[in-house]
Amino acid sequence: MKLSEFKFDLPENLLAQHPAKHRDESRLMVLHRDSGKIEHRVFKDIIEYFGEGDTFVLNDTKVFPARLYGNKEKTGAKIEVFLLRELNKEIHLWDVLVDPARKIRVGNKLYFGESDMVAEVIDNTTSRGRTIKFLFDGSDEEFYKALHDLGETPLPREAITREAEPADKERYQTIYAKHTGAVAAPSAGLHFTREVMKRLEIKGVEVTSVTLHIGLGTFRPVDVEDLTKHKMDSENFIVPAEAAVVVNKALDAKKRVCAVGTTSMRALESSVSANSRLKENQGWTDRFIFPPYEFKIANALLTNFHMPESTLMMMTSAFAGHALLTEAYKLAIKEKYKFFSYGDAMLIL
């Protein structure tokens, strides 16, 4: 398929700037792949589609406050520093993006607020990318606390145009977030509440977790018409042994296995055994899923509504079928569903 087949006009007013008042009261569009039927529900209704032995696979990554603001030595110019990943824990070496990048050169020092935090630029990696080393005398615990206190919730600028607010620290995080390492939330999971989880448990639905630390590459634009030429950024993931046991039990019993989000799906599809079962695994994945693609593990997908020409939309299209997803997106725009991270949900069965 070609990039242009994923292009559509998305009205700006459908890009959700804030989450729904209550997590589980987002809207839920349900797509039935076998019949082509489309239903309009509320997220808390999701429990009606699952029963005993069915399994949800969550991504339990935790978003860290990755957006910092520092001042350049001598000039005092304000510089945004977006933490991507830690390269060396012992010497506090990080891969970051800086803005405005033209002002930041190797050897420059950045000072952060009233704190003792200082960073030195060690290397250029891309046009906006830099490697920086934090100069910090305290313990690891004090260092991470200082980063956490200085950092801002990394709302994706592609869609959310407002500044981060205190409420975002809680709302731009799933209720089951556990392992810190993501610079963006696994947004399909943002709709779950403890009440919904409890009601699923009462129905006998199994819940298990994988971890995939979402990087900014998830949102990187595809700039080639031929999708086979696009290269995904690698993301770190873990599929624990217990998740493999739970998922394989559901598959053997011919039950539903629902990947909660495209990131959970990427982790699952990166950990398939020779007999099409889930295996314990960890490492880095740059798997790019677009139509046509035969999914090996999950037979249901919960996701949000994605941006035009995004890799997330492409994976969703591969799962739903391109014609059905195109119809669903047209209907979503007509019915004014909200798109992107704080938007509404779609369940594909």
Side-chain angles (χ1 to χ4, degrees):
M1 293 192 75
K2 304 294 183 189
L3 176 65
S4 51
E5 295 178 73
F6 297 91
K7 189 177 179 69
F8 64 93
D9 292 323
L10 178 60
E12 272 189 35
N13 67 324
L14 296 186
L15 285 169
Q17 298 300 307
H18 290 87
K21 187 174 180 184
H22 301 290
R23 289 177 185 263
D24 58 7
E25 288 178 2
S26 297
R27 296 166 76 187
L28 176 70
M29 181 185 282
V30 184
L31 272 57
H32 297 266
R33 292 181 293 173
D34 54 354
S35 64
K37 180 182 173 187
I38 297 176
E39 297 180 87
H40 303 286
R41 306 295 297 265
V42 176
F43 185 79
K44 61 176 69 169
D45 298 337
I46 195 168
I47 60 168
E48 295 177 24
Y49 296 91
F50 295 89
E52 190 165 352
D54 290 336
T55 296
F56 278 88
V57 183
L58 313 174
N59 180 5
D60 64 6
T61 188
K62 190 172 188 178
V63 180
F64 64 91
R67 186 173 278 127
L68 311 179
Y69 293 97
N71 296 97
K72 189 178 168 187
E73 64 176 337
K74 296 177 183 169
T75 67
K78 186 178 180 183
I79 306 294
E80 179 184 306
V81 177
F82 195 100
L83 304 176
L84 292 177
R85 59 183 172 185
E86 192 170 33
L87 300 172
N88 186 311
K89 188 171 182 172
E90 288 177 14
I91 59 171
H92 304 312
L93 203 65
W94 284 74
D95 197 6
V96 305
L97 296 176
V98 294
D99 189 34
R102 68 184 184 281
K103 294 186 175 182
I104 298 300
R105 295 185 172 86
V106 173
N108 287 160
K109 283 195 173 73
L110 297 168
Y111 295 83
F112 296 90
E114 302 299 313
S115 71
D116 296 329
M117 189 75 81
V118 181
E120 183 178 357
V121 181
I122 303 297
D123 195 12
N124 296 330
T125 52
T126 62
S127 59
R128 284 184 59 211
R130 302 288 185 272
T131 301
I132 67 171
K133 178 182 180 180
F134 285 101
L135 311 173
F136 189 82
D137 289 334
S139 66
D140 281 354
E141 190 179 336
E142 289 168 331
F143 172 72
Y144 293 116
K145 184 181 185 309
L147 274 193
H148 198 275
D149 291 345
L150 286 167
E152 186 180 274
T153 304
L155 298 180
R157 291 259 170 86
E158 298 86 348
I160 300 176
T161 54
R162 64 176 175 83
E163 292 298 311
E165 299 165 4
D168 291 309
K169 282 213 169 182
E170 184 234 340
R171 289 305 301 271
Y172 195 63
Q173 195 83 269
T174 62
I175 62 164
Y176 47 77
K178 191 174 180 184
H179 302 291
T180 302
V183 300
S187 54
L190 295 177
H191 307 285
F192 282 93
T193 58
R194 286 185 170 74
E195 290 76 12
V196 167
M197 301 290 270
K198 189 67 183 173
R199 291 171 73 189
L200 287 169
E201 182 190 329
I202 289 166
K203 285 192 81 174
V205 176
E206 299 278 350
V207 176
T208 191
S209 298
V210 297
T211 307
L212 185 138
H213 293 312
I214 303 160
L216 279 187
T218 293
F219 307 123
R220 191 155 62 84
V222 179
D223 52 13
V224 286
E225 179 68 4
D226 180 354
L227 298 185
T228 62
K229 291 185 166 56
H230 178 69
K231 183 82 168 67
M232 290 284 282
D233 291 1
S234 291
E235 292 171 314
N236 190 239
F237 76 98
I238 300 169
V239 175
E242 54 267 35
V245 170
V246 172
V247 167
N248 292 336
K249 181 181 167 190
L251 290 176
D252 291 341
K254 297 190 164 38
K255 296 291 185 178
R256 277 193 170 138
V257 174
C258 182
V260 176
T262 56
T263 56
S264 297
M265 185 70 90
R266 278 185 82 203
L268 295 177
E269 289 297 310
S270 300
S271 312
V272 181
S273 69
N275 63 341
S276 295
R277 287 295 182 264
L278 188 63
K279 64 180 181 182
E280 179 184 4
N281 196 10
Q282 64 177 312
W284 295 83
T285 180
D286 61 357
R287 185 172 293 258
F288 176 30
I289 297 174
F290 58 93
Y293 183 88
E294 185 186 340
F295 290 84
K296 307 292 195 305
I297 305 296
N299 48 37
L301 172 64
L302 177 70
T303 189
N304 274 25
F305 290 88
H306 304 297
M307 301 288 264
E309 300 182 314
S310 64
T311 59
L312 308 178
M313 183 191 178
M314 290 165 193
M315 183 195 288
T316 308
S317 168
F319 192 82
H322 192 64
L324 180 58
L325 191 78
T326 301
E327 181 190 347
Y329 270 48
K330 282 178 183 170
L331 190 56
I333 291 168
K334 184 184 170 204
E335 296 292 332
K336 295 187 165 42
Y337 276 75
K338 293 290 188 178
F339 279 66
F340 212 55
S341 301
Y342 274 153
D344 294 313
M346 173 185 281
L347 175 63
I348 308 167
L349 300 172

